[in-house]
Amino acid sequence: AVVSTQSTGGSAAMDDTSPQFNSTVDILYGTVLLVIAILGVPGNALSLHYFVSKRRDVSAIIYIWITLVDTLLCLCAIPIAIAYFNNREPTLFASEIFCNFWHFIYKTLSSMSIFCVAMLSITRTFFLLRPFKSISKRLVVTLLVGYFLFQFAVSTMIYWENGGKYQYSANFAECSATTNVTRYEVVANVVMSLTTTFPIFPIIISCVISILALMGSAHEGRTAAQSSEKRYASVTIVMFTAIYAIFNIPSSVLNIMIIADKSLVNSMLSFDSMGYFSNFVWSLSIPLNSLCNPILYVVRMKNLRAALLATITGGIYKREEEDGKSIVRQSKVPTLV
């Protein structure tokens, strides 16, 4: 397996002389990607509608960004699925314009998704440790927009240093950069790898701190209801972290190893002669993570669950406020607040 850092963070792929692909595994990968698109796009879009409609606090702003990015990432899975179903033929990627646009957007969104999760974890930990302090919503929006522009600039640098052209790779069933390498492109790829790898560390650390803070100590004088709410929140954090870790730690570890010693990673991935492991780690895991997020929202957020059900059925939406009171709204298409 030949390692390349042209994709988000890094990737491992074969050269174009690789043996014929396994059609059964290709169909499996294509089916998974198609399911991601069918369920992930409406799931994230409905979640986005809910977070846009609710009160705009810091968490809601970050969730808006996460759900927007995840919606687009699930859409980006469709061309890859089509290629897998068509014996790795480029199909939609045959268009040079579409190929360039897809690669540019997909890699920028992948990096943005990781940063949003890091922002969510860090701000949530801050509020747990400093409950009487606040974070400026303008600061959060500025950081999110600033990071997006930064990643956009890095992607632009890679694009132009690559000759303004990406090409379809049958090994990944997607568009990737050519083998043209300049010193600017190397720097840009290292920056891209670092920004998609190191956010995982503050995410894990902040979630561990959050769990400890939520557990609290016995002398805090909490009621049984408060203790139950804190345990519920801690389980949500553990689940969110576990989902993120499952789909991102393998690629993050390999990205760090690529920066340190690419030849070592080439040797480690020598077993992956057809690239399916590499494709899962660096390509399939990203939209899979985007699919799991709305499932977690529905399972763990009762207000969101009630609002989505009311939207689908046109029924009554009952929202529980933090003080335990309830507000009942009834309309054909209820307002999601």
Side-chain angles (χ1 to χ4, degrees):
V2 179
V3 176
S4 167
T5 56
Q6 307 297 347
S7 299
T8 300
S11 55
M14 307 161 290
D15 57 32
D16 290 331
T17 62
S18 55
Q20 185 177 2
F21 299 105
N22 188 315
S23 59
T24 302
V25 181
D26 276 5
I27 292 174
L28 175 62
Y29 272 41
T31 302
V32 171
L33 287 164
L34 191 60
V35 170
I36 289 171
I38 292 173
L39 299 180
V41 172
N44 280 293
L46 288 172
S47 299
L48 173 62
H49 179 33
Y50 169 77
F51 290 119
V52 168
S53 301
K54 75 190 295 289
R55 183 171 59 87
R56 300 292 178 82
D57 55 16
V58 169
S59 295
I61 291 173
I62 299 175
Y63 273 124
I64 288 171
W65 279 75
I66 291 176
T67 51
L68 175 60
V69 169
D70 284 343
T71 301
L72 296 176
L73 283 174
C74 290
L75 276 174
C76 287
I78 295 176
I80 309 177
I82 294 174
Y84 274 118
F85 281 126
N86 288 274
N87 300 315
R88 304 291 184 101
E89 293 296 322
T91 56
L92 294 178
F93 291 125
S95 167
E96 182 177 324
I97 295 176
F98 181 84
C99 186
N100 290 341
F101 178 78
W102 181 92
H103 183 277
F104 196 86
I105 296 299
Y106 186 65
K107 302 312 175 185
T108 302
L109 291 175
S110 300
S111 301
M112 193 69 208
S113 176
I114 297 173
F115 181 76
C116 288
V117 175
M119 284 284 292
L120 182 64
S121 298
I122 293 172
T123 54
R124 180 171 50 204
T125 302
F126 175 85
F127 288 132
L128 285 170
L129 297 179
R130 307 294 295 274
F132 300 107
K133 297 291 184 179
S134 62
I135 297 177
S136 170
K137 289 185 286 187
R138 179 174 296 181
L139 173 62
V140 171
V141 172
T142 300
L143 290 174
L144 289 168
V145 173
Y147 185 83
F148 175 80
L149 294 176
F150 169 74
Q151 287 298 140
F152 189 84
V154 172
S155 297
T156 302
M157 182 187 299
I158 296 175
Y159 177 74
W160 287 115
E161 287 300 322
N162 193 58
K165 180 180 180 180
Y166 293 111
Q167 63 183 18
Y168 175 74
S169 169
N171 300 305
F172 281 103
E174 64 181 50
C175 288
S176 60
T178 66
T179 56
N180 182 34
V181 177
T182 68
R183 64 189 181 92
Y184 298 106
E185 188 176 355
V186 170
V187 172
N189 277 318
V190 170
V191 172
M192 185 74 82
S193 296
L194 292 176
T195 54
T196 56
T197 297
F198 284 98
I200 196 169
F201 296 109
I203 289 172
I204 294 175
I205 292 172
S206 63
C207 284
V208 170
I209 295 174
S210 296
I211 292 170
L212 295 175
L214 286 167
M215 296 304 180
S217 56
H219 63 266
E220 287 183 356
R222 296 194 303 265
T223 65
Q226 289 173 331
S227 297
S228 177
E229 290 176 1
K230 286 182 176 290
R231 284 194 299 270
Y232 190 88
S234 66
V235 171
T236 302
I237 293 175
V238 171
M239 292 174 65
F240 198 89
T241 306
I243 291 173
Y244 180 85
I246 289 171
F247 293 114
N248 290 275
I249 284 182
S251 61
S252 296
V253 171
L254 288 174
N255 287 343
I256 294 174
M257 294 178 65
I258 288 172
I259 296 174
D261 189 348
K262 183 188 293 187
S263 61
L264 174 62
V265 179
N266 278 330
S267 176
M268 289 175 55
L269 295 179
S270 59
F271 72 92
D272 189 29
S273 60
M274 301 187 74
Y276 287 111
F277 173 78
S278 302
N279 287 5
F280 178 83
V281 170
W282 278 292
S283 295
L284 196 62
S285 61
I286 296 173
L288 267 175
N289 197 169
S290 297
L291 170 63
C292 290
N293 285 341
I295 296 175
L296 180 61
Y297 303 150
V298 171
V299 171
R300 304 298 297 180
M301 299 181 182
K302 55 187 176 183
N303 284 339
L304 184 147
R305 187 166 59 245
L308 294 184
L309 181 62
T311 300
I312 295 172
T313 63
I316 299 175
Y317 168 43
K318 181 178 180 180
R319 174 167 61 87
E320 293 189 8
E321 299 287 1
E322 293 182 357
D323 59 4
K325 297 180 180 178
S326 298
I327 297 178
V328 178
R329 302 180 184 274
Q330 184 174 11
S331 62
K332 205 160 190 179
V333 181
T335 304
L336 304 183
V337 295

